[in-house]
Amino acid sequence: MSFQKYTHTINFNRFVREAKDLTDLVHVYDVPIFAQLGFVQYNKRTEQNMKSENLSIDDIRKIQTDFIISAQKIDYAGFDGIQIALGNNYFLSRFINPAFNSRNDKYGGNTLNRLRIVLEIIKVIKQNTSLHINCRLNAFDDSQDGMTIDETIEIAKLLEKHGADSLQITRPRSPQFYTRNTENNPLIDATEKIIEEIGIPVILGGGARNQNEINELLNETDIDYISMQRPFVADPSFLVDWQIKGDGESFCQACNNCYWKKTSTCHLKPCSPEYYKNSE
């Protein structure tokens, strides 16, 4: 899980050196490592949080250039892949969403046009790096005239056609969503529908923290990959316990304090006798 104050910016002058130390360490254990690329707002001098329709073509080229240069640095630093943030409330998730993009040029209108900014980024990254490209994509949203699962499937097909290697399915403001919805995750059905339509790997994002439920999901649906974030904040080594016990459940309560307080630490664990009892 990444937070603005603790996240590397790609123009940090020691980014490659420090990132290379990280990737070398991870590769010792023969584990691939990806870097997520994304931003929430586009600001240009005194113009803050610019909307999609107010961007000039030069602004779009600036965004694309920043993504491409970042991908080249990430490749040089030894990462195996990148995740382009097209989900949650990141800027590009709004750009490709008909509820937020009212442009009337080749970067607005139909699904292909709204996705064009991303497809052009993917094309150049594929030509200039060896990175696996994953796209984090909203399955649907609750905004009026926003993305539906049918349009998400169309977007998924276009991403696959133009070079994306895998997808991760999420939804806007997912931390709040998973706090309110501990059962009946609608992303399961949405992810299965997307899997039926494309041939690249599709990852179910968020909400999983019980080993038996995860095994049931993997065994009884077409979903082969599941992502977890906050459980690792609560306990980075919980998967070791799961492997030993066989029926584990993450200590994470999806309270979101690690997210809202921007510390990337669990605020429940230090004051929980139950946690220490279970850890003995």
Side-chain angles (χ1 to χ4, degrees), residues 16 20 71-79 131:
V16 171
K20 189 66 168 62
Q72 290 176 312
K73 289 185 177 181
I74 286 168
D75 187 35
Y76 187 72
F79 286 90
L131 295 168

PDB file of all heavy atoms in Angstrom, residues 16 20 71-79 131:
ATOM      1  N   VAL A  16      16.575   5.543  -8.886  1.00  0.00           N
ATOM      2  CA  VAL A  16      17.070   4.303  -9.504  1.00  0.00           C
ATOM      3  C   VAL A  16      17.984   3.561  -8.542  1.00  0.00           C
ATOM      4  O   VAL A  16      17.884   2.342  -8.386  1.00  0.00           O
ATOM      5  CB  VAL A  16      17.782   4.604 -10.839  1.00  0.00           C
ATOM      6  CG1 VAL A  16      18.470   3.349 -11.363  1.00  0.00           C
ATOM      7  CG2 VAL A  16      16.787   5.119 -11.871  1.00  0.00           C
ATOM      8  N   LYS A  20      16.904   0.014  -7.129  1.00  0.00           N
ATOM      9  CA  LYS A  20      17.707  -1.142  -7.530  1.00  0.00           C
ATOM     10  C   LYS A  20      18.062  -1.986  -6.313  1.00  0.00           C
ATOM     11  O   LYS A  20      18.085  -3.229  -6.396  1.00  0.00           O
ATOM     12  CB  LYS A  20      18.986  -0.680  -8.232  1.00  0.00           C
ATOM     13  CG  LYS A  20      19.792  -1.804  -8.881  1.00  0.00           C
ATOM     14  CD  LYS A  20      19.018  -2.428 -10.035  1.00  0.00           C
ATOM     15  CE  LYS A  20      19.874  -3.336 -10.884  1.00  0.00           C
ATOM     16  NZ  LYS A  20      20.426  -4.487 -10.178  1.00  0.00           N
ATOM     17  N   ALA A  71       8.552   4.792 -16.859  1.00  0.00           N
ATOM     18  CA  ALA A  71       8.646   3.362 -17.156  1.00  0.00           C
ATOM     19  C   ALA A  71      10.071   2.969 -17.504  1.00  0.00           C
ATOM     20  O   ALA A  71      10.558   1.900 -17.102  1.00  0.00           O
ATOM     21  CB  ALA A  71       7.699   3.006 -18.299  1.00  0.00           C
ATOM     22  N   GLN A  72      10.780   3.818 -18.239  1.00  0.00           N
ATOM     23  CA  GLN A  72      12.170   3.523 -18.590  1.00  0.00           C
ATOM     24  C   GLN A  72      13.056   3.495 -17.338  1.00  0.00           C
ATOM     25  O   GLN A  72      13.928   2.631 -17.207  1.00  0.00           O
ATOM     26  CB  GLN A  72      12.681   4.554 -19.591  1.00  0.00           C
ATOM     27  CG  GLN A  72      12.044   4.420 -20.973  1.00  0.00           C
ATOM     28  CD  GLN A  72      12.492   5.510 -21.932  1.00  0.00           C
ATOM     29  OE1 GLN A  72      12.481   6.699 -21.588  1.00  0.00           O
ATOM     30  NE2 GLN A  72      12.890   5.127 -23.124  1.00  0.00           N
ATOM     31  N   LYS A  73      12.832   4.417 -16.418  1.00  0.00           N
ATOM     32  CA  LYS A  73      13.591   4.412 -15.164  1.00  0.00           C
ATOM     33  C   LYS A  73      13.270   3.167 -14.339  1.00  0.00           C
ATOM     34  O   LYS A  73      14.158   2.554 -13.735  1.00  0.00           O
ATOM     35  CB  LYS A  73      13.290   5.681 -14.357  1.00  0.00           C
ATOM     36  CG  LYS A  73      13.864   6.956 -14.943  1.00  0.00           C
ATOM     37  CD  LYS A  73      13.613   8.136 -14.015  1.00  0.00           C
ATOM     38  CE  LYS A  73      14.251   9.406 -14.541  1.00  0.00           C
ATOM     39  NZ  LYS A  73      14.035  10.562 -13.639  1.00  0.00           N
ATOM     40  N   ILE A  74      12.001   2.807 -14.296  1.00  0.00           N
ATOM     41  CA  ILE A  74      11.574   1.619 -13.561  1.00  0.00           C
ATOM     42  C   ILE A  74      12.205   0.368 -14.163  1.00  0.00           C
ATOM     43  O   ILE A  74      12.667  -0.526 -13.438  1.00  0.00           O
ATOM     44  CB  ILE A  74      10.030   1.531 -13.568  1.00  0.00           C
ATOM     45  CG1 ILE A  74       9.466   2.588 -12.612  1.00  0.00           C
ATOM     46  CG2 ILE A  74       9.540   0.136 -13.187  1.00  0.00           C
ATOM     47  CD1 ILE A  74       7.978   2.799 -12.742  1.00  0.00           C
ATOM     48  N   ASP A  75      12.255   0.295 -15.466  1.00  0.00           N
ATOM     49  CA  ASP A  75      12.891  -0.834 -16.144  1.00  0.00           C
ATOM     50  C   ASP A  75      14.383  -0.888 -15.802  1.00  0.00           C
ATOM     51  O   ASP A  75      14.931  -1.950 -15.474  1.00  0.00           O
ATOM     52  CB  ASP A  75      12.675  -0.687 -17.651  1.00  0.00           C
ATOM     53  CG  ASP A  75      13.150  -1.902 -18.437  1.00  0.00           C
ATOM     54  OD1 ASP A  75      13.025  -3.033 -17.923  1.00  0.00           O
ATOM     55  OD2 ASP A  75      13.637  -1.719 -19.565  1.00  0.00           O
ATOM     56  N   TYR A  76      15.036   0.265 -15.846  1.00  0.00           N
ATOM     57  CA  TYR A  76      16.466   0.337 -15.551  1.00  0.00           C
ATOM     58  C   TYR A  76      16.754  -0.043 -14.104  1.00  0.00           C
ATOM     59  O   TYR A  76      17.820  -0.594 -13.794  1.00  0.00           O
ATOM     60  CB  TYR A  76      16.975   1.744 -15.850  1.00  0.00           C
ATOM     61  CG  TYR A  76      18.473   1.892 -15.744  1.00  0.00           C
ATOM     62  CD1 TYR A  76      19.316   1.322 -16.702  1.00  0.00           C
ATOM     63  CD2 TYR A  76      19.039   2.607 -14.702  1.00  0.00           C
ATOM     64  CE1 TYR A  76      20.692   1.454 -16.605  1.00  0.00           C
ATOM     65  CE2 TYR A  76      20.411   2.751 -14.600  1.00  0.00           C
ATOM     66  CZ  TYR A  76      21.234   2.170 -15.551  1.00  0.00           C
ATOM     67  OH  TYR A  76      22.597   2.304 -15.455  1.00  0.00           O
ATOM     68  N   ALA A  77      15.814   0.244 -13.210  1.00  0.00           N
ATOM     69  CA  ALA A  77      15.992  -0.061 -11.788  1.00  0.00           C
ATOM     70  C   ALA A  77      15.749  -1.532 -11.472  1.00  0.00           C
ATOM     71  O   ALA A  77      15.885  -1.936 -10.313  1.00  0.00           O
ATOM     72  CB  ALA A  77      15.060   0.804 -10.947  1.00  0.00           C
ATOM     73  N   GLY A  78      15.382  -2.328 -12.457  1.00  0.00           N
ATOM     74  CA  GLY A  78      15.282  -3.764 -12.247  1.00  0.00           C
ATOM     75  C   GLY A  78      13.893  -4.299 -11.955  1.00  0.00           C
ATOM     76  O   GLY A  78      13.739  -5.486 -11.644  1.00  0.00           O
ATOM     77  N   PHE A  79      12.873  -3.462 -12.041  1.00  0.00           N
ATOM     78  CA  PHE A  79      11.518  -3.961 -11.831  1.00  0.00           C
ATOM     79  C   PHE A  79      11.118  -4.884 -12.988  1.00  0.00           C
ATOM     80  O   PHE A  79      11.585  -4.732 -14.121  1.00  0.00           O
ATOM     81  CB  PHE A  79      10.525  -2.806 -11.738  1.00  0.00           C
ATOM     82  CG  PHE A  79      10.598  -2.044 -10.444  1.00  0.00           C
ATOM     83  CD1 PHE A  79      11.446  -0.954 -10.305  1.00  0.00           C
ATOM     84  CD2 PHE A  79       9.817  -2.416  -9.364  1.00  0.00           C
ATOM     85  CE1 PHE A  79      11.517  -0.239  -9.117  1.00  0.00           C
ATOM     86  CE2 PHE A  79       9.880  -1.713  -8.159  1.00  0.00           C
ATOM     87  CZ  PHE A  79      10.740  -0.630  -8.039  1.00  0.00           C
ATOM     88  N   LEU A 131       9.216  -4.452 -19.786  1.00  0.00           N
ATOM     89  CA  LEU A 131       8.328  -4.539 -18.640  1.00  0.00           C
ATOM     90  C   LEU A 131       7.011  -5.246 -18.959  1.00  0.00           C
ATOM     91  O   LEU A 131       6.438  -5.059 -20.036  1.00  0.00           O
ATOM     92  CB  LEU A 131       8.007  -3.135 -18.111  1.00  0.00           C
ATOM     93  CG  LEU A 131       9.156  -2.324 -17.529  1.00  0.00           C
ATOM     94  CD1 LEU A 131       8.732  -0.876 -17.322  1.00  0.00           C
ATOM     95  CD2 LEU A 131       9.626  -2.938 -16.210  1.00  0.00           C
TER      96      LEU A 131
END
